[in-house]
Amino acid sequence: GYSGNTMTTIMLEGKEYTFMGSDSVNLTDILINLEYDIEKLCDCVSDFSVCTEDGRRFRLNLYEGFARCEDGQADLTEEQIEKIREIVNNQT
């Protein structure tokens, strides 16, 4: 579990944005609960990275609709993409 004090960092276009609160909790919740598949890695480039407080690093591409981490790659739903876009826009 984690609380509203969870720290999350977005790395986008050479800049880092660290934040906490509901955006941090919501983004962490989306990313850690995806079903990653190590066999599903594509050659697509990620647009930005997210580091969660526990040290996990995720690479995301919202146009291609995926998140990638050491566990593999997972597809994002349209709802997840919109929520992540909203969080990124709030924090950058």
Side-chain angles (χ1 to χ4, degrees):
Y2 44 87
S3 68
N5 293 330
T6 299
M7 297 292 283
T8 303
T9 301
I10 295 173
M11 283 79 61
L12 175 67
E13 298 175 350
K15 296 181 182 175
E16 290 188 4
Y17 305 91
T18 300
F19 55 99
M20 54 191 238
S22 62
D23 278 350
S24 176
V25 170
N26 290 333
L27 183 54
T28 299
D29 192 49
I30 291 170
L31 294 174
I32 67 172
N33 287 302
L34 292 171
E35 291 188 35
Y36 293 94
D37 183 349
I38 198 71
E39 301 294 323
K40 194 174 182 173
L41 295 173
C42 70
D43 293 332
C44 305
V45 177
S46 56
D47 296 323
F48 63 97
S49 298
V50 174
C51 283
T52 57
E53 188 171 76
D54 64 359
R56 291 188 69 186
R57 180 183 214 102
F58 300 87
R59 290 169 178 77
L60 290 87
N61 182 318
L62 300 183
Y63 299 102
E64 297 291 331
F66 70 80
R68 186 182 294 149
C69 70
E70 63 200 24
D71 297 328
Q73 185 169 306
D75 293 330
L76 296 167
T77 66
E78 286 299 319
E79 181 180 314
Q80 290 166 330
I81 291 169
E82 288 308 311
K83 184 63 180 172
I84 293 169
R85 267 199 188 109
E86 178 184 317
I87 292 168
V88 170
N89 288 335
N90 286 346
Q91 300 302 325
T92 59

